[in-house]
Amino acid sequence: MNEEIREMFSFFEHKYDACVLPLNWEGVKYLGSKQDQTCRFCQRSRPEVTFKKKAHAIPEMLGNRRLLNHYECDSCNQFFSDMENHLGSYTSFWRAVSQVRGKRGTPKYKKDLEIQSVDGQLRIGDYIDSPSIINNDENNEIILPGIRDPYIPVAVYKCFVKMALTLMPESEIQHFRKTIEWIMEPDHLKMKCPFGLLTFVQFTPGFKVYRYPCNWLFLRKETAEPTTPYSIYAVCFSSLMFQITIPHCECDDNFLAYLNKGGQAKIAALPSPYYENHPLGPSQIRVKDLSGTDWVRGEKEYISISYDLKEEILSNQRNNPEEP
């Protein structure tokens, strides 16, 4: 273990208590009780609201089919479904390339390229020598260019926060009432966050590096100085890890006072299990600012993939130019 990774682990070890929440149960698991249900987000109960829909703790589009919850009413479930569309747009290119199976199967990407999974193989619908594709045959590597679907950055961040709040222990959720109010506010210009919405995005080469979505929820130790935020959340799926800080927590008063006095928060990225050593190469980390409240359109994204075998499949038109 090199010094960089040692410092990353040391940050979390000394400042935070961790809840590791992998989604690899053999059967379906529910959070909360089905008796006397009260919605965690709107605080309403029956008969004012219903609880008939399946409420996924982590969006199904990220590969979660096994972890659900009993404390999200149908009304809030619908509200969050609309919000999840932004996360879906933000990750659509990644999920298509990584073959993440969601509610409607494996997503397809159809823009300048056509990408889909066919019988467990990745099919790229373009000429193999297309100038838009960067081929590195020496290293068995292809770099695919993509364009994200339109999304609002802060809506993506709110979706990650909602996932963290769904997994939050019952004993802790009381500290995040204002956070819930923030994610439930449809006007993203209201309730400005007290600190930036920066996200660590960590990519590990390869397909389905994480067979199941995995989650880590970190809560600051009572003995730790309030120079860091109270709660940090990380979620992994396919070959990606997203790490965020949860805003508007009432336990962050001293942390915010520290920032207002000119202090600087130094938050480490949580190294993935493959950060230093993976057969296809080490993980890479970049920082993404998701504080924007305007629509982002036409944003480019590049994905580097390695392969064992690359085969060109000729279309009917290329095999039979006379055919219409």
Side-chain angles (χ1 to χ4, degrees):
M1 181 184 298
N2 64 35
E3 187 61 28
E4 179 187 23
I5 298 180
R6 196 183 311 277
E7 290 180 1
M8 291 168 136
F9 278 121
S10 178
F11 171 85
F12 288 95
E13 180 182 3
H14 290 96
K15 295 181 181 293
Y16 289 91
D17 292 319
C19 301
V20 182
L21 305 162
L23 308 186
N24 58 356
W25 293 283
E26 293 299 324
V28 174
K29 180 180 178 66
Y30 279 87
L31 301 175
S33 172
K34 196 173 182 179
Q35 306 300 320
D36 302 320
Q37 286 175 285
T38 298
C39 181
R40 170 170 286 193
F41 301 98
C42 69
Q43 295 297 300
R44 293 182 293 178
S45 306
R46 291 191 183 95
E48 189 177 3
V49 291
T50 57
F51 293 84
K52 296 180 180 179
K53 296 180 180 179
K54 289 184 177 180
H56 291 77
I58 306 299
E60 192 172 0
M61 65 180 166
L62 301 187
N64 169 39
R65 297 189 173 192
R66 299 178 178 179
L67 185 62
L68 296 89
N69 74 83
H70 284 307
Y71 41 65
E72 182 179 321
C73 73
D74 295 340
S75 177
C76 289
N77 182 269
Q78 180 59 49
F79 175 81
F80 292 131
S81 293
D82 294 337
M83 189 171 68
E84 286 174 6
N85 289 336
H86 293 275
L87 178 61
S89 295
Y90 183 78
T91 61
S92 59
F93 184 47
W94 285 98
R95 290 184 291 112
V97 173
S98 299
Q99 306 174 52
V100 178
R101 186 174 181 82
K103 180 183 295 186
R104 297 177 179 84
T106 304
K108 298 179 181 179
Y109 176 84
K110 291 185 178 181
K111 283 188 175 66
D112 48 342
L113 298 173
E114 181 176 349
I115 299 173
Q116 60 180 311
S117 174
V118 179
D119 298 329
Q121 296 179 334
L122 187 67
R123 295 285 178 90
I124 303 171
D126 199 358
Y127 297 116
I128 205 67
D129 57 353
S130 167
S132 63
I133 297 175
I134 301 174
N135 290 281
N136 187 345
D137 294 332
E138 183 178 345
N139 296 326
N140 284 11
E141 179 185 50
I142 294 178
I143 299 177
L144 301 176
I147 299 175
R148 286 197 175 99
D149 292 335
Y151 72 97
I152 297 177
V154 70
V156 175
Y157 199 97
K158 284 184 176 182
C159 195
F160 284 127
V161 172
K162 185 269 175 178
M163 293 155 58
L165 295 176
T166 302
L167 299 169
M168 190 72 64
E170 188 64 35
S171 60
E172 291 288 336
I173 197 65
Q174 59 182 320
H175 304 311
F176 296 90
R177 292 303 170 193
K178 192 173 181 180
T179 310
I180 292 175
E181 182 183 352
W182 175 66
I183 66 170
M184 298 291 290
E185 173 54 65
D187 186 348
H188 300 310
L189 293 175
K190 294 182 178 179
M191 296 186 67
K192 184 178 179 180
C193 289
F195 46 79
L197 303 182
L198 299 180
T199 304
F200 287 111
V201 183
Q202 191 168 170
F203 169 70
T204 302
F207 292 130
K208 300 181 181 178
V209 175
Y210 305 100
R211 184 179 177 187
Y212 303 98
C214 298
N215 302 261
W216 288 268
L217 182 63
F218 296 93
L219 302 173
R220 192 177 60 220
K221 295 177 182 288
E222 293 183 0
T223 56
E225 291 292 324
T227 56
T228 56
Y230 182 71
S231 184
I232 293 174
Y233 171 68
V235 58
C236 307
F237 67 95
S238 182
S239 57
L240 293 172
M241 175 191 288
F242 291 89
Q243 177 186 320
I244 63 163
T245 297
I246 304 178
H248 294 300
C249 175
E250 67 177 33
C251 297
D252 275 332
D253 289 347
N254 291 334
F255 171 59
L256 296 179
Y258 165 76
L259 295 180
N260 290 333
K261 292 179 181 178
Q264 292 187 351
K266 295 182 179 180
I267 302 173
L270 177 70
S272 78
Y274 310 102
Y275 180 76
E276 188 177 22
N277 186 21
H278 186 270
L280 298 178
S283 301
Q284 301 172 1
I285 299 177
R286 57 188 174 89
V287 178
K288 178 73 173 179
D289 185 350
L290 291 175
S291 60
T293 57
D294 295 326
W295 284 92
V296 175
R297 305 178 189 277
E299 186 175 66
K300 294 183 179 180
E301 182 71 3
Y302 296 89
I303 298 179
S304 175
I305 61 174
S306 300
Y307 59 85
D308 294 323
L309 176 66
K310 179 178 69 175
E311 180 181 357
E312 181 177 8
I313 301 176
L314 299 177
S315 67
N316 289 335
Q317 289 185 337
R318 294 185 70 185
N319 283 327
N320 303 287
E322 300 297 326
E323 293 185 7

